[in-house]
Amino acid sequence: MSRLLLPLEHDPRTAEQHAEDTLLHALKRLPRRVQQVFLLGRLDQLGFAAIAERLSLPLLSIERHMNQALQTTREPGDALASVAIQWYVRLQSPQATACERIDFRRWLDAAPEHLHAFHQTELRWRSLLAPARQLGHDGWYRQGRAALSLGGCSIAIGLGAAALLALGLLA
């Protein structure tokens, strides 16, 4: 007697949910500062300059963090997607020059694969909205710099306060 195994029906919603879960997991593995920059850009739709001002970081750091966040979402080994992500992020920066925009246009026109990779990057950015909402559901990313560095800062502040208290009591 043999059993026949019938293929399970493919539920596209399940595949979509799996993709979102995978993206969320990748985003959760990023450093907290990178997550914060990503969420300020994606959820609050702040530009690089506004994020830099809010977090007291240079624009180049914002660009680097955003690039790191998006690179995490691409397929490993996809060099063309990596370049497309770099262009996508650079073009968001207010420091992007006219020469860079011309170079981007040349790169885009050089091969149909480039246009496709850039289009996929734009779609990927849009697909990150649901995972971003889950990651930033409680609004933690809107807090300032100190909220992210609780580990080191609070220990240093605690030790400093303990030292001052001890000196005050001993003196």
Side-chain angles (χ1 to χ4, degrees), residues 103-161:
D103 288 343
F104 164 70
R105 192 66 213 179
R106 286 182 182 146
W107 175 81
L108 201 61
D109 293 339
E113 299 84 28
H114 295 181
L115 177 62
H116 179 72
F118 192 78
H119 180 69
Q120 289 302 114
T121 299
E122 290 176 318
L123 292 176
R124 184 175 300 111
W125 176 253
R126 291 181 191 155
S127 75
L128 292 173
L129 184 58
R133 283 183 179 144
Q134 287 182 304
L135 184 61
H137 68 89
D138 58 358
W140 67 265
Y141 65 94
R142 291 185 179 115
Q143 298 172 356
R145 194 173 196 127
L148 292 178
S149 54
L150 284 177
C153 271
S154 61
I155 290 171
I157 290 170
L159 289 175

Side-chain angles (χ1 to χ4, degrees), residues 2-166:
S2 66
R3 284 190 202 169
L4 294 175
L5 296 176
L6 297 175
L8 297 174
E9 288 187 34
H10 176 70
D11 182 7
R13 185 169 162 84
T14 304
E16 183 179 305
Q17 184 61 43
H18 176 69
E20 284 180 12
D21 290 345
T22 302
L23 289 172
L24 178 61
H25 181 67
L27 293 170
K28 282 183 175 179
R29 289 192 323 245
L30 291 168
R32 247 356 212 184
R33 175 63 72 200
V34 175
Q35 290 179 24
Q36 185 181 32
V37 167
F38 166 72
L39 292 173
L40 285 170
R42 188 65 194 107
L43 293 181
D44 293 1
Q45 299 180 357
L46 296 180
F48 285 12
I51 297 170
E53 183 179 332
R54 184 175 200 160
L55 300 178
S56 301
L57 291 173
L59 274 169
L60 191 57
S61 292
I62 302 304
E63 187 176 332
R64 190 176 67 247
H65 291 329
M66 192 63 77
N67 190 28
Q68 184 179 354
L70 280 175
Q71 292 291 347
T72 304
T73 67
R74 71 175 172 81
E75 291 293 322
D78 190 348
L80 195 54
S82 179
V83 174
I85 288 169
Q86 289 171 9
W87 276 119
Y88 185 79
V89 171
R90 183 61 187 160
L91 294 174
Q92 307 304 313
S93 175
Q95 292 181 331
T97 65
C99 289
E100 287 173 319
R101 293 181 188 283
I102 291 169
D103 288 343
F104 164 70
R105 192 66 213 179
R106 286 182 182 146
W107 175 81
L108 201 61
D109 293 339
E113 299 84 28
H114 295 181
L115 177 62
H116 179 72
F118 192 78
H119 180 69
Q120 289 302 114
T121 299
E122 290 176 318
L123 292 176
R124 184 175 300 111
W125 176 253
R126 291 181 191 155
S127 75
L128 292 173
L129 184 58
R133 283 183 179 144
Q134 287 182 304
L135 184 61
H137 68 89
D138 58 358
W140 67 265
Y141 65 94
R142 291 185 179 115
Q143 298 172 356
R145 194 173 196 127
L148 292 178
S149 54
L150 284 177
C153 271
S154 61
I155 290 171
I157 290 170
L159 289 175
L164 288 175
L165 184 62

